Amino acid sequence: MPINGWIEVDDHHCKGCGLCVEACPQDVLELNMERLTPRGYHPAQMIEETCSGCGICAVVCPDAAISVYREKPQRQAKRARR
Amino acid sequence: MPINGWIEVDDHHCKGCGLCVEACPQDVLELNMERLTPRGYHPAQMIEETCSGCGICAVVCPDAAISVYREKPQRQAKRARR
Amino acid sequence: MKETSIIISGFGGQGTLFAGQVLAYTAMDNGLEVTWIPSYGPEMRGGTAHCTVIVSEERIGSPLVGSPDIVLALNLPSVDKYETLMSSRGTLIANSSLVNREIERGDITSLLIPANKIAEEIGMSRLANMIMVGAMTKLRPILTLEMVKTGLEEHIPERHRKTLPINFEAIDKGYAFAEEAGAS
Amino acid sequence: MKETSIIISGFGGQGTLFAGQVLAYTAMDNGLEVTWIPSYGPEMRGGTAHCTVIVSEERIGSPLVGSPDIVLALNLPSVDKYETLMSSRGTLIANSSLVNREIERGDITSLLIPANKIAEEIGMSRLANMIMVGAMTKLRPILTLEMVKTGLEEHIPERHRKTLPINFEAIDKGYAFAEEAGAS
Amino acid sequence: MNTTTQVVYERPESLTGTHTHYCPGCTHGTAHRLIAEVIDEMGLRENSIGVAPVGCSVFAYNYFNMDFVEAAHGRAPAMATGIKRVSPENTVFTYQGDGDLASIGMAEIMHASARGENITVIFINNAIYGMTGGQMAPTTLPGMKTTSSPYGRDVELAGFPIKMAELLSVMDGSGYIVRRSLHDAKHIRQAKKAVRLAFETQQRGLGFSMVELLSSCPTNWGISPQEALGFISERMIPVFPLGDYKVNPELKSIRV
Amino acid sequence: MNTTTQVVYERPESLTGTHTHYCPGCTHGTAHRLIAEVIDEMGLRENSIGVAPVGCSVFAYNYFNMDFVEAAHGRAPAMATGIKRVSPENTVFTYQGDGDLASIGMAEIMHASARGENITVIFINNAIYGMTGGQMAPTTLPGMKTTSSPYGRDVELAGFPIKMAELLSVMDGSGYIVRRSLHDAKHIRQAKKAVRLAFETQQRGLGFSMVELLSSCPTNWGISPQEALGFISERMIPVFPLGDYKVNPELKSIRV
Amino acid sequence: MAKELLKGNEAFAEAAIRAGVEGFFGYPITPSTEFLEHMARRMPKLGRAFVQAESEVAAINMVYGAACTGKRVMTASSSPGLSLMMEGISYIAGTEIPVVVVNVMRGGPGLGNIAPSQGDYYQMVKGGGHGDYFPIVLAPASVQEAIDSIALAFDLAEKYRSVVHVIVDGNMGQMMEPAELPPMREIPTESPPWAVTGAKGRNPNILTSIYIDPVDEEVTDLRLLKRWKEVEKNEVRYEEYELEDAKIAIVAFGTSARVASSAIHDAREEGIKVGLFRPVTLAPYPQKRLDEIAQQVERILVIEMNSGMMLDDVQRVVQGRVPIEFYGRMGGITPLPGEILEEIRRVAANEDEVEGDPRNEWMTRLEKKIMGGGE
Amino acid sequence: MAKELLKGNEAFAEAAIRAGVEGFFGYPITPSTEFLEHMARRMPKLGRAFVQAESEVAAINMVYGAACTGKRVMTASSSPGLSLMMEGISYIAGTEIPVVVVNVMRGGPGLGNIAPSQGDYYQMVKGGGHGDYFPIVLAPASVQEAIDSIALAFDLAEKYRSVVHVIVDGNMGQMMEPAELPPMREIPTESPPWAVTGAKGRNPNILTSIYIDPVDEEVTDLRLLKRWKEVEKNEVRYEEYELEDAKIAIVAFGTSARVASSAIHDAREEGIKVGLFRPVTLAPYPQKRLDEIAQQVERILVIEMNSGMMLDDVQRVVQGRVPIEFYGRMGGITPLPGEILEEIRRVAANEDEVEGDPRNEWMTRLEKKIMGGGE
Ligand SMILES: Cc1ncc(C[n+]2csc(CCOP(=O)(O)OP(=O)(O)O)c2C)c(N)n1
Ligand SMILES: Cc1ncc(C[n+]2csc(CCOP(=O)(O)OP(=O)(O)O)c2C)c(N)n1
Ligand code: SF4
Ligand code: SF4
Ligand code: SF4
Ligand code: SF4
Ligand code: SF4
Ligand code: SF4
Ligand SMILES: [Mg+2]
Ligand SMILES: [Mg+2]
């Protein structure tokens, strides 16, 4: 499957609560136990490239730490209204 | 019709509100416009002898100013529990 | 006159507060200092309603008095209360329609006036208060009959303006009664 | 010793308050005056948790100090804060597992001890606090190793009694580390 | 046939002989009577502690022949809670007006019922602040003129009447919540039964009980006592429907 | 086929960049996000005035990128009333915990709704006092242990959970009263729609609006963030059923 | 405008309207209720906000919210109502927003009664709420002065971002006196920069009283205190009557002062050199001037309608320079001029040292008076 | 019983239990919450009443009701909570029933913070509620003393049918110190004659604070005042430390006094003759003794964790006999011994007259201190 979605986790906001990890239907998230954020948390990270860009992780993240992006066919290329 | 009920109005409590007068189904009550109670009210009084002793006046009197009595055949002569 | 204190006292509903206001307005309109203060508070339901009016040529300190100069007593409890308190040489006008006793103090001027009866005669029993005020303008003309009439005319609530003539009549009757009776 | 002030400071969850209580109990059991006071209030969520313990032979006035004599710093912010505040000739014991810098002040005794690492080695990472306490009993034996162990034994909550041996081990390891290291 | 004298009605023992300060025809007096009658019937006079509110009934303690305390405005349920918790053997009731209970005392009444306090509340809804001279109450009817809604209660600005029986019936701690009226003999009799059941609720430990009584204030409504009763039946009952809002099943079997 | 990057989700403008002090996994944050998203979508950021409570969300004003005031404990609805009455052109909302809204602030919330105040209330029901360290709230479940119900909430002594959505729906002044949950993505999406409708209620002048959100407190419940979500769905929802308790018919046509 | 015969409470309320009040939030309580009733009549017609709150707790918090928008807002109540407002008032003070609160005092403690009293002096002047804050307190003594105080109160509140209390007693609220109302002020269209109005084209405004770091709170408290020092410097107000040659100074405020002035008038006719010092601002207390007076007179007589509260402040200021006596009536009783005249005579005649608490002798005399025969 | 290491709030709560408290009604608030939590654990097990009220308003009114039954009852809270209790406390005082209230003070005004403070001095000591009433106020300075104060508070409350406040700050509530708890007292089985218990075999008891006739209220107020005079005569308590030969007297209460005693210890080592006068009862204030001390020392230094509240009382008592200086920390900051030592040194060195408000110079110094570098 080609990449059609990805996320970015903001170190400043992520508290390593793991709710996104549990919620991701593609099971592509994990807490990074190797790394501490400046605030001392193990942040979430993508571990596989099969993210669908469904946005569920962002919906459950209490800290609005996740941005979600998706590749779109050009026809509907208008940037979504945020 | 023989007397079978009567009431007593306590001057100390009656405020001449007239609610008993309006409520009496036998229409035997009136405010006494000739007399003022020590507190300055025209008290209620019986004006006819056809009181049935139904107690409605006492039920509506806000000031518990009315006592109601009734003649009873001796068979059931036990004084009612108050 | 430097300062004169007037108490108007009676049952609630006898118009004591309004009568006091008429005097207060009259005094103000005639360039005098004045204070009016009622017994207040529905939390004190029952008992008498009274107000104290002080009229003066100078700034008024206390709006209250212990010994009033003039008392208009519309009922018996008011006479009972104020007869003893009044200042000597004071004036006590009592409503004999509801006061079935004589005034005892000899060091005051007093007048018994059947205010309710006179008011009923002119056809408006509520006006006992104005009968009393009329009598006062005779006995203690710090505010004259004419001044009070003008005061009433100026300040009667709009919805009662049509009763102005009968109010005037009441004041006149009170004045006349006091004139005839002389004072005891 | 007249009066010695000890601050134990770290992240919430590092057991700083409990470590302080162990010292306080120990002091009390040994007939000393003592006060223990925490940084308190969940309304202050986040940040460090610390407590101040004062041990004295006399009645203690202030339960707080500006310049502590002894600091057990379990994390970096605690070192940053207290290194400057400490009284000269004080003793600073810092948890080098979480403090990746040297101690700069020269007028104090300091010891860097990898408390987390040692605790993990003995199999209970939560015991970094006891490692630090053990080190303290070596460097500032106002309360001796034995006293603290007895204090712990007497006052450990019943539900944790089974961890007593491993707590003792932690204290011993801390003591031993300090002994070996000497102090800088 | 020989006859003897039967007493149909006499002043209850649980009332003192004191003349009340209520205005003529005010049904505060009726409510007092009913409570006194019920307490007499249940034999609770020597066991009861009443809590008077701030409102026209502030002097209720002078009229009831039993131990009484005077609460701060709206706080009677809290005060009753305090009493009942340390003296569960006593029968504890509050007597409160609509300003007292539904306005300033909203939190206390809601929580007493949520806790299922074993106390009885007699709630006098007269759609007005009687004592302070006729201001709008939370129960004032839409459009009704009061001294603080001089153009008639405008629901856009002053909100809607609050229905306490409905609200309290939502609470799991409530055992008996009803609304009755005091506007005629029949309704007064029904009201008395409700007061009885409310006290029975407390005696059986079934939780919080409240009887809301639609009551008159001829003085501040500016009408005669008799007209005031008509106002209750014609204007108030449509807004505050009478009925049983919550009745613990255990009470259903009681005949009173 | 050429593709372009579509933003599925980005942090809303109505949140500041400040790191919150909430515990990891606490759904206070989720609720904040939803409000911010709705305010962004409706273009209300520069018009809004928020009222923060006393509770864990006391510092909400640091996280929302808009004008904010801080209320006394429980009094946010009164404060919001004051603001809205003198500034009806502003969008005014409160954000309140269950201790704040349902305990100490019971009178103020009930009366704001009775008056039909045109304000929006976001009510975070986490069945506990978070800020003060885990005492019993009016919404604490029967049997649930807290620091002030150490043997589990005994309904006989401490009463029953209070159901605010049910209570507020009794009030005639209420325009929109619903309960939602924050325990999974689907429910969060539904919650957001409700928040939207609540603000729409205000914008259309349809009266008082309240969204009760079942929320987690992993810290004081003493379980992990994920377990806490399970607690909401398994333990809280049965006691606090989700649903629409009152919806002004005018809102039914709105698609969000 | 010409003088009218105005009822205190209504006049004060109308004065607030003329001063541009845009929101009134209150709860009925005797003897201040006519204030609220006047607002109920007038505010809706003017398109301004009037809310009969569910309680005084709610009322003060509505005021708190409304004040945060930068508009002029207020409440009015009486003694027990004020007690319920203490938390809110402390919050308002801590948030540094302008609010005017009127207290028409009645007899207490507790439910007490509805008669006029000055028994809330401590509560209003010393700050009945928690924490360090400094309300400005105005105590007018006539209907006209009270009318003027209301506009002044708003001005001071805004100038110092402070709570301003206007305190009178039931007499002042209930009496009628000729007085003149000011013309309608225009309502300012611009908001102060700190107000919450929606963060359009600017950074958000945040109004709060929480400073979780004690250092920040201390900075705030110090700011409040320094502002208070400015108030103390600029806003002291008092009135003097017949003090020039006085050997006895009566110190009294509000109605007590009015009544005292009647008694002073009479005492002067008897040749007693007595005058009146009337603090108009109870906070800031006119201590400098009182200090001067204490150096002029031979004796001070404090008169209050309470058990001797302002007395504390007089003692603090006078610092033992001259003996202080006290005469008070409590529980809703207004002293009569005759009583005060008697006190003046007594003080004038009596050259003894006053020993200990000045209230001791007064208590004995009062007890005799009220137990032996009553009012 | 042997000494245990006890946490303030828990120890105070347990002390109340041992003193026979039969009902506790409260609402959580930092830094007093452990008091309530301890009660939640213990009271139900003992078959006594514990209610977490819906608010502090409800809590004090529950206490009010429960106290009317003659049982020992109490509440505990912190500053904003106390503000909400002011109406209830005034009612309790007016009804003349015994109640104990604990205030674990925090920084204010408003929401402020949860750090230790003494900023409620005015509220607690002068009576933050409306009307004339006189709470007894105890201000212990150690966990042991606070424990003992609780039982004393109940005894005084009952003896004088009075409200008794025990006030400490967050430090005292949160700290642990070795202390000894008293044994369990027996709970009296008999009710006082005034209590409401059901009018069995006696006339009804009525407990109220309304006296609609001002004459009755005045009689009541006078009764309260006379009782207060008894309290002033019998119940003044204070502690002295190193005062015998002192040239400087520090006057401080609670934690401030503790901290000062550390500083005094150090100052004595430097040869400065300084001692401590610690009022234990803030009301009744130990004025007689302070007056004596003012005649012995050369200078007084008042130290508080507020903006200078007790200072008023010291000034009132000292009557200018000796210069008074002030040092305060506000907003939740506890002064450290070193700061106070510095103040002592400064006062010892400086022989200048203190001009005007003793707070003026302090404010300048404090501002420099906190603005230029912070804590
Ligand atoms: C704290 C406080 N606020 C206000 C008042 C004034 N007050 C006394 S009774 C009352 C309302 C009474 O109305 P309600 O409870 O309906 O009783 P009613 O007189 O109609 O029977 C008010 C506002 C008060 N005494 N205390
Ligand atoms: C008058 C007052 N009483 C008590 C407190 C202490 N207090 C702060 S927050 C809080 C309860 C918070 O619980 P909740 O409203 O449920 O919010 P959460 O923290 O759970 O989000 C309490 C009791 C206070 N600040 N003010
Ligand atoms: S967007 Fe969807 S698939 Fe991608 S990481 Fe998030 S939850 Fe998983
Ligand atoms: S849900 Fe958010 S805060 Fe939690 S781990 Fe994922 S990104 Fe981090
Ligand atoms: S008892 Fe019945 S019939 Fe007799 S007077 Fe009364 S109401 Fe009339
Ligand atoms: S109802 Fe009672 S009070 Fe009224 S007139 Fe009849 S007897 Fe008198
Ligand atoms: S004012 Fe109204 S409620 Fe009060 S006693 Fe009179 S009629 Fe009854
Ligand atoms: S204590 Fe609970 S409610 Fe508060 S932030 Fe932490 S998890 Fe959230
Ligand atoms: Mg009513
Ligand atoms: Mg909560």
Side-chain angles (χ1 to χ4, degrees), chain G residues 262-274:
Chain G
S262 289
I264 288 168
H265 186 278
D266 297 347
R268 283 268 168 190
E269 298 205 335
E270 298 178 8
I272 304 175
K273 291 193 169 165
V274 54

Side-chain angles (χ1 to χ4, degrees), chain A residues 12 15 61 70-72, chain F residues 3-4 6 8 19-20 33:
Chain A
H12 177 63
K15 292 181 186 141
C61 173
R70 190 155 45 189
E71 291 295 308
K72 261 210 137 181
Chain F
T3 59
T4 49
Q6 180 198 25
V8 179
H19 176 88
T20 74
R33 237 189 47 221

Side-chain angles (χ1 to χ4, degrees), chain E residues 19 32 43 47 52 57 84 100 102 138 142 181 184 187 201 216 235 254:
Chain E
H19 177 89
H32 281 27
N47 176 254
S57 46
K84 187 76 181 182
D100 194 76
S181 170
D184 65 20
H187 285 87
T201 306
S216 70
R235 300 282 311 279
I254 302 179

Side-chain angles (χ1 to χ4, degrees), chain D residues 2-3 21 24-25 28 32 34-38 40-44 58-66, chain H residues 3-5 30-31 106 114-116 170-171 174-178 239 258-259 261-262 265 269 334 336-337:
Chain D
K2 220 183 52 211
E3 186 167 304
Q21 284 180 2
Y25 279 119
M28 180 183 74
L32 295 167
V34 65
T35 60
W36 171 97
I37 190 165
Y40 60 85
E43 281 168 284
M44 278 170 149
E58 291 167 27
R59 191 169 91 158
I60 298 166
S62 175
L64 300 168
V65 282
Chain H
K3 283 201 177 183
E4 302 163 72
L5 189 63
T30 315
R106 58 188 243 179
I114 57 177
N171 287 313
Q174 296 295 326
M175 76 191 284
M176 293 177 97
E177 243 182 345
E239 198 196 44
R258 278 185 79 123
V259 178
S261 75
S262 288
H265 186 278
E269 297 205 334
T334 304
L336 293 169

Side-chain angles (χ1 to χ4, degrees), chain H residues 122-142:
Chain H
Y122 281 151
Q123 182 181 43
M124 304 309 294
V125 174
K126 301 296 168 190
H130 61 285
D132 293 279
Y133 70 98
F134 312 94
I136 296 172
V137 183
L138 305 177
S142 71

Side-chain angles (χ1 to χ4, degrees), chain C residues 45, chain E residues 22-23 26 28 56 126 130 216-220:
Chain C
R45 237 165 261 307
Chain E
Y22 300 118
C23 306
C26 171
H28 263 303
C56 275
N126 61 7
S216 70
C217 177
T219 300
N220 287 302

Side-chain angles (χ1 to χ4, degrees), chain C residues 43-178:
Chain C
E43 281 168 284
M44 279 169 149
R45 237 165 261 307
T48 62
H50 71 264
C51 65
T52 304
V53 177
I54 297 185
V55 178
S56 176
E57 280 160 0
E58 291 167 26
R59 190 168 94 158
I60 298 167
S62 174
L64 300 168
V65 283
S67 305
D69 299 317
I70 303 176
V71 171
L72 312 190
L74 279 98
N75 65 0
L76 180 62
S78 302
V79 177
D80 290 347
K81 176 165 180 194
Y82 293 109
E83 183 179 357
T84 48
L85 291 177
M86 290 192 64
S87 67
S88 61
R89 285 190 301 278
T91 302
L92 171 60
I93 304 177
N95 174 11
S96 58
S97 304
L98 296 180
V99 176
N100 51 1
R101 73 164 172 85
E102 295 302 306
I103 306 303
E104 277 150 32
R105 267 178 69 174
D107 62 335
I108 57 173
T109 305
S110 69
L111 173 72
L112 283 166
I113 177 168
N116 281 46
K117 193 164 143 272
I118 302 176
E120 272 160 34
E121 280 164 16
I122 65 172
M124 197 177 258
S125 57
R126 283 197 289 101
L127 289 183
N129 59 347
M130 287 299 137
I131 308 276
M132 306 284 284
V133 165
M136 181 189 125
T137 61
K138 173 72 190 88
L139 299 185
R140 293 290 289 255
I142 44 161
L143 303 169
T144 66
L145 184 72
E146 281 319 307
M147 280 156 79
V148 169
K149 279 185 172 177
T150 314
L152 183 64
E153 180 156 13
E154 294 281 317
H155 299 284
I156 196 166
E158 219 30 69
R159 63 184 186 287
H160 293 142
R161 180 158 299 280
K162 57 179 186 308
T163 67
L164 200 56
I166 193 167
N167 269 281
F168 283 176
E169 195 184 339
I171 296 172
D172 287 335
K173 289 273 182 203
Y175 186 95
F177 184 93

